[in-house]
Amino acid sequence: MPKARKMLALAIAVLGAISLMLLAGCGSSEEDVKKEIEDDLTAQFEMIKNCDMELIGELIEGDESWEELAGYGITPEVFCEAYFDGFDYSLGPIELNDDMTVGTVELSFVCKNYEDILASFETELENVDYLELVDMSEDELGKWVGSLIIDVVDKTEAAPLDPITVTVQKNDDGVWDLDEAGRKALDKALLDM
């Protein structure tokens, strides 16, 4: 019997040690979760900074304004490269709720301001000699407008925008992402939409 008790005690000790290791591995520390949020958000903002084609495809899907730009000979890639030239971002401190399933973070951006672009475009149009445009075909005129749009966007300087505070949570893919209100705040901050 003593041998059986020793074996049982050893088995219980091994099971206890395994349980402790599993429990330690299940829970993430607050710093681990904050690092995961930082990494996931950084990956997403780097896609914007680098005009990632996958992201551009997601942005233009179902948006009729891109079709309008295409009528002027402007591809989404060209527009995004011009608009996000000089784009940068920074993440502020990340705060987590008690069960570490929802976080908040302040985001700061340097980006071209959509209102500045529109104002510059209007100024450029005021300075146009329309007599030069009279003999252009509709296609030539469209390309001229497209060229003017891209020139104005290219010349607009990126500047710091007002910071926004957003809520983040894991999406269905297990990636930390902005919630719906955060997405709207981001659209408004970057695209004034």
Side-chain angles (χ1 to χ4, degrees), residues 29-43:
S29 74
E30 185 173 333
E31 289 307 310
D32 290 342
V33 173
K34 287 180 178 183
K35 177 71 171 131
E36 189 177 340
I37 291 170
E38 181 181 335
D39 291 347
D40 287 351
L41 292 179
T42 296

Side-chain angles (χ1 to χ4, degrees), residues 15-27:
L15 286 174
I18 291 172
S19 296
L20 285 175
M21 288 188 318
L22 289 175
L23 286 174
C26 287

